[in-house]
């Protein structure tokens, strides 16, 4: 039985992004959606979640299916407490409990035995619903999911605005997993998760009794959870029945077949067009030529496989610093209370430092404190007076309704149109994408634009807070190359061990105080 059926789905901004998409997600099917940044994965998920309206085609849902959608950029009320946000999932059950208590109150005041029996039967029905939903074990269930994702029960009293960006992302995921949906649509669920919590999520999804469609660029994760792979490339979807490794092997075979068939068809079309051009005006061959025109018009034109876009990042040095770049002494960071024990370390010219630790431990808070974006609690830090910062924050704080072109123009007011488009083109952003709102682009596309802007904000201390979130393999490889070539001092916050081990020689691990 199909839970979702997509027929001839097309969507475009100005250029076509998705064209005549067709696929089905079956009951209890565990699927992943793969494709390079910018191929339309996030757009497709937004169409499935009814956040966008297709230009044509039909998306049909099974009416009995409860769908839960994890958005990369979900907006939540930051003035709510974590408890208020999480427990909103169970509001219908809370109402059932209130109703049950009201029924029992009516029973206690009722004298008519017949009415009492009817009320008892109704109360029993409500009680069965609560029991079937494990309502009386909610605290245990919530705690298990929070711990599994690297959160802790104490944050239930915190306001959401007091949490780090990574913790908020995990909180959104936690609420979705608690919702008991029949089908999950997850966009980059492993962002901000440490290895141990990715393992927990992997086990959760493998044992999930419903269906899911997951977008992720983390290959080991999707290979573990995928039973079906949907590949979105060149504007259309192909289905592969198997895990990610099967998909990679089968994809190579299909590409070879596709290119062979495409080449043969192109040769046939060219040969036929030459025949038509030579003979369409000849009396003796005109009929045959016209017949071949009709044949060409009926042909379904095949597409050749397009190679992935190539990206280019660079972080030029403005001028060199002296030897002693930064000295941190007994620094306490946090809000009303310290997040970690007092921190002391030194950074020398040319050091390549990675700051690690569990989500919520204070990695981003440390960076913001060192950049004077947040007040310290106590202690000290001193930068060399020749330090010039290039900073990539974990959260995109730009207005999401402006376009990439406007964003670059804002940062470089003296640039002309050609210079702006050249910068955007270096990270795979074409003219049409450059003039769309940032909100319409994928997380990977926005990240690439933000990294590209740093190319011309020359500094000598490069500070990157989780820059690989949302990046596909090709973009991550381009970033890795650029960081290896960088000649200044690097401070990197990352949970991607495979990535930072290739760059950084010094690790500062933050642990809970």
């Amino acid at each position: 039985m199909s839970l979702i059926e997509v027929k001839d789905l097309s969507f475009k901004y100005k250029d076509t992004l998705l064209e005549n998409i067709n696929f089905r997600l079956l009951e209890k099917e565990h699927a992943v959606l793969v494709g390079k940044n910018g191929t339309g994965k996030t757009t497709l998920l937004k169409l499935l979640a009814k956040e966008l309206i297709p230009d044509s085609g039909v998306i049909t849902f099974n009416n009995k299916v409860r769908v839960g959608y994890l958005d990369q950029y979900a907006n939540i009320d930051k003035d709510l407490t974590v408890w208020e946000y999480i427990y909103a999932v169970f509001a219908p059950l809370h109402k059932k409990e209130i109703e049950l208590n009201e029924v029992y109150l009516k029973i206690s005041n009722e004298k008519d035995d017949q009415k009492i029996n009817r009320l008892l039967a109704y109360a029993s029905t409500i009680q069965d619903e609560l029991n079937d939903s494990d309502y009386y074990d909610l605290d245990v269930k919530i705690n298990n999911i929070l711990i599994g994702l690297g959160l802790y029960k104490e944050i239930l009293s915190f306001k959401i605005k007091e949490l780090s960006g990574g913790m908020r992302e995990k909180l959104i995921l936690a609420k979705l997993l608690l919702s008991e949906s029949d089908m999950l649509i997850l966009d980059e669920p492993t962002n901000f998760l440490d290895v141990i919590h990715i393992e927990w999520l992997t086990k959760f999804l493998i044992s999930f009794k419903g269906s899911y469609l997951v977008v992720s660029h983390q290959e080991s994760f999707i290979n573990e959870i995928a039973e079906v792979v949907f590949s979105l490339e060149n504007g259309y979807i192909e289905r592969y029945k198997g895990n990610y490794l099967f998909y990679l092997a089968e994809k190579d075979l299909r590409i070879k077949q596709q290119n062979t068939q495409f080449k043969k068809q192109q040769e046939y079309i060219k040969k036929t067009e030459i025949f038509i051009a030579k003979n369409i005006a000849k009396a003796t061959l005109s009929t045959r030529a016209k017949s071949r025109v009709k044949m060409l018009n009926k042909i379904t034109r095949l597409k050749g496989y397009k190679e992935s876009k190539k990206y280019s990042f660079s972080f030029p040095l403005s001028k060199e610093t002296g030897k002693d770049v930064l000295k941190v002494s007994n620094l306490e960071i946090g809000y009303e209370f310290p997040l970690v024990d007092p921190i002391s370390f030194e950074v020398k010219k040319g050091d390549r430092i990675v700051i690690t630790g569990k989500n919520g431990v204070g990695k981003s808070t440390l960076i913001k404190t060192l950049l004077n974006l947040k007040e310290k609690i106590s202690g000290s830090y001193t930068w060399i007076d020749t330090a010039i910062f290039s900073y990539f924050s974990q959260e995109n704080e730009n207005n999401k309704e402006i376009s990439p072109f406007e964003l670059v123009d804002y940062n470089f007011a003296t640039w002309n149109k050609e210079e702006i488009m050249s910068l955007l083109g270096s990270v795979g952003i074409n003219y049409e994408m450059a003039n769309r709102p940032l909100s319409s682009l994928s997380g990977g596309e926005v990240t690439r634009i933000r990294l590209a802007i740093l190319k011309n904000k020359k500094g000598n201390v490069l500070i990157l807070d989780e820059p690989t979130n949302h990046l596909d393999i090709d973009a991550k490889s381009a970033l890795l190359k650029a960081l290896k070539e960088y000649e200044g001092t690097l401070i990197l916050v990352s949970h991607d061990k495979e990535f930072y081990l290739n760059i950084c020689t010094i690790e500062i691990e933050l642990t809970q105080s």
Side-chain angles (χ1 to χ4, degrees):
M1 180 179 71
S2 296
L3 298 188
I4 296 180
E5 186 163 359
V6 176
K7 288 185 177 180
D8 300 325
L9 179 71
S10 293
F11 181 86
K12 65 179 179 180
Y13 292 96
K14 289 184 180 177
D15 293 340
T16 299
L17 182 62
L18 303 172
E19 185 175 13
N20 295 325
I21 296 291
N22 291 276
F23 74 95
R24 295 189 304 160
L25 186 69
L26 305 179
E27 187 177 13
K28 298 184 179 180
E29 194 161 63
H30 291 179
V32 299
L33 175 64
V34 300
K36 303 296 182 184
N37 283 149
T39 54
K41 300 186 302 299
T42 295
T43 298
L44 179 56
L45 294 194
K46 287 183 176 181
L47 287 163
L48 296 179
K50 301 179 182 179
E51 290 191 359
L52 293 174
I53 300 173
D55 296 324
S56 61
V58 179
I59 302 173
T60 305
F61 283 88
N62 185 312
N63 291 331
K64 297 180 181 179
V65 174
R66 295 169 296 174
V67 179
Y69 170 52
L70 176 68
D71 188 350
Q72 288 181 2
Y73 301 110
N75 292 316
I76 57 179
D77 185 350
K78 294 180 182 179
D79 287 322
L80 292 175
T81 66
V82 173
W83 187 91
E84 289 170 330
Y85 177 71
I86 285 287
Y87 275 82
V89 173
F90 307 108
L93 294 178
H94 290 325
K95 289 181 180 178
K96 288 287 182 183
E97 185 185 37
I98 292 171
E99 185 181 7
L100 179 63
N101 291 332
E102 290 173 348
V103 172
Y104 282 136
L105 182 60
K106 288 180 181 179
I107 291 172
S108 66
N109 295 323
E110 184 58 60
K111 305 298 183 182
D112 188 311
D113 288 343
Q114 192 173 7
K115 289 182 179 179
I116 289 174
N117 288 334
R118 282 201 300 267
L119 288 169
L120 284 172
Y122 184 51
S124 178
T125 300
I126 298 175
Q127 188 69 68
D128 288 343
E129 287 182 35
L130 293 174
N131 290 338
D132 291 343
S133 301
D134 296 324
Y135 178 72
Y136 300 105
D137 293 322
L138 286 186
D139 287 343
V140 174
K141 189 175 181 179
I142 290 169
N143 197 41
N144 287 341
I145 294 231
L146 291 178
I147 292 173
L149 293 176
L151 299 171
Y152 46 92
K153 191 174 182 180
E154 287 73 18
I155 71 162
L156 289 172
S157 62
F158 288 23
K159 289 202 169 185
I160 292 172
K161 63 185 177 184
E162 297 174 329
L163 305 180
S164 70
M167 292 175 77
R168 285 200 295 271
E169 291 274 350
K170 294 202 286 188
L171 182 61
I172 294 168
L173 177 57
K175 182 178 180 180
L176 180 61
L177 298 184
L178 285 164
S179 67
E180 294 192 345
S181 302
D182 301 306
M183 175 185 166
L184 299 174
I185 300 175
L186 306 179
D187 194 2
E188 300 285 5
T190 62
N191 281 348
F192 305 104
L193 293 186
D194 300 318
V195 173
I196 188 171
H197 306 125
I198 292 175
E199 291 175 355
W200 179 89
L201 179 60
T202 299
K203 292 176 182 177
F204 180 95
L205 290 175
I206 289 173
S207 62
F208 184 62
K209 294 179 181 179
S211 301
Y212 56 70
L213 182 63
V214 177
V215 168
S216 175
H217 291 112
Q218 191 163 66
E219 292 180 293
S220 58
F221 170 68
I222 58 179
N223 189 57
E224 288 287 331
I225 66 169
E227 296 173 357
V228 173
V229 176
F230 292 109
S231 176
L232 179 55
E233 296 188 63
N234 298 334
Y236 61 93
I237 278 186
E238 286 197 62
R239 176 188 176 94
Y240 297 80
K241 179 64 176 175
N243 63 12
Y244 185 70
L245 292 179
F246 169 81
Y247 151 74
L248 291 176
E250 182 68 15
K251 176 187 172 184
D252 285 342
L253 292 175
R254 293 191 191 184
I255 288 174
K256 289 176 182 177
Q257 292 171 354
Q258 178 182 345
N259 285 339
T260 298
Q261 292 170 358
F262 175 74
K263 185 178 179 180
K264 286 181 178 179
Q265 188 184 69
Q266 289 299 301
E267 289 172 351
Y268 170 76
I269 290 171
K270 184 177 181 180
K271 182 179 178 181
T272 304
E273 287 175 341
I274 291 171
F275 177 85
I276 293 169
K278 284 182 177 180
N279 299 293
I280 193 71
K282 293 180 180 179
T284 55
L285 295 173
S286 176
T287 302
R288 288 174 60 187
K290 290 178 180 178
S291 175
R292 299 209 181 174
V293 170
K294 291 179 180 179
M295 288 172 59
L296 282 186
N297 290 336
K298 291 180 180 179
I299 286 177
T300 300
R301 302 289 176 119
L302 301 176
K303 295 180 180 179
Y305 181 76
K306 294 181 181 179
E307 293 295 328
S308 302
K309 296 176 182 176
K310 300 300 180 184
Y311 310 123
S312 173
F313 301 109
S314 64
F315 307 104
L317 200 64
S318 56
K319 63 179 182 180
E320 294 192 354
T321 64
K323 180 182 177 183
D324 300 313
V325 175
L326 172 65
K327 183 174 182 180
V328 178
S329 180
N330 295 316
L331 180 65
E332 287 191 312
I333 60 169
Y335 296 87
E336 296 178 0
F337 54 87
L339 292 172
V340 291
D341 293 330
I343 304 166
S344 297
F345 63 91
E346 294 184 1
V347 177
K348 303 293 185 182
K349 174 184 174 182
D351 278 351
R352 292 168 169 266
I353 292 173
V354 60
I355 299 172
T356 63
K358 294 180 179 179
N359 285 125
V361 75
K363 302 186 294 296
S364 296
T365 303
L366 172 60
I367 294 300
K368 289 178 180 178
T369 303
L370 294 176
L371 290 172
N372 293 322
L373 299 174
K374 191 182 181 316
E375 289 188 12
K376 66 183 181 182
I377 294 177
S378 65
S380 66
Y381 59 91
T382 306
W383 289 99
I384 194 169
D385 57 7
T386 53
I388 303 172
F389 306 114
S390 297
Y391 172 50
F392 178 93
S393 63
Q394 182 183 117
E395 298 179 66
N396 176 27
E397 296 169 351
N398 298 299
N399 179 352
K400 294 176 185 177
E401 296 314 308
I402 68 172
S403 69
F405 187 96
E406 291 169 327
L407 179 61
V408 178
D409 184 48
Y410 172 79
N411 280 275
F412 307 109
T414 62
W415 282 21
N416 60 35
K417 181 178 178 180
E418 288 71 25
E419 289 172 315
I420 294 173
M421 288 308 304
S422 176
L423 179 69
L424 292 172
S426 70
V427 291
I429 304 299
N430 62 26
Y431 179 82
E432 185 273 329
M433 296 162 67
N435 290 283
R436 279 161 39 191
L438 289 172
S439 60
S440 72
L441 302 180
S442 71
E445 288 164 342
V446 174
T447 296
R448 295 201 310 267
I449 294 165
R450 294 175 61 213
L451 287 169
I453 287 172
L454 291 183
K455 176 180 179 180
N456 291 83
K457 286 187 172 293
K458 296 180 181 179
N460 48 32
V461 179
L462 180 60
I463 302 176
L464 305 179
D465 191 354
E466 299 287 7
T468 61
N469 285 342
H470 307 298
L471 292 184
D472 63 21
I473 296 168
D474 291 340
K476 193 184 293 187
S477 176
L479 177 59
L480 179 65
K481 179 177 182 293
L483 292 180
K484 285 182 176 180
E485 294 172 351
Y486 178 61
E487 297 177 348
T489 301
L490 173 65
I491 299 177
L492 174 70
V493 174
S494 179
H495 67 278
D496 190 338
K497 191 171 185 178
E498 184 179 352
F499 182 79
Y500 68 69
L501 284 179
N502 282 289
I503 309 163
C504 298
T505 54
I506 301 170
E507 180 177 355
I508 298 174
E509 183 179 7
L510 302 187
T511 55
Q512 216 81 46
S513 61

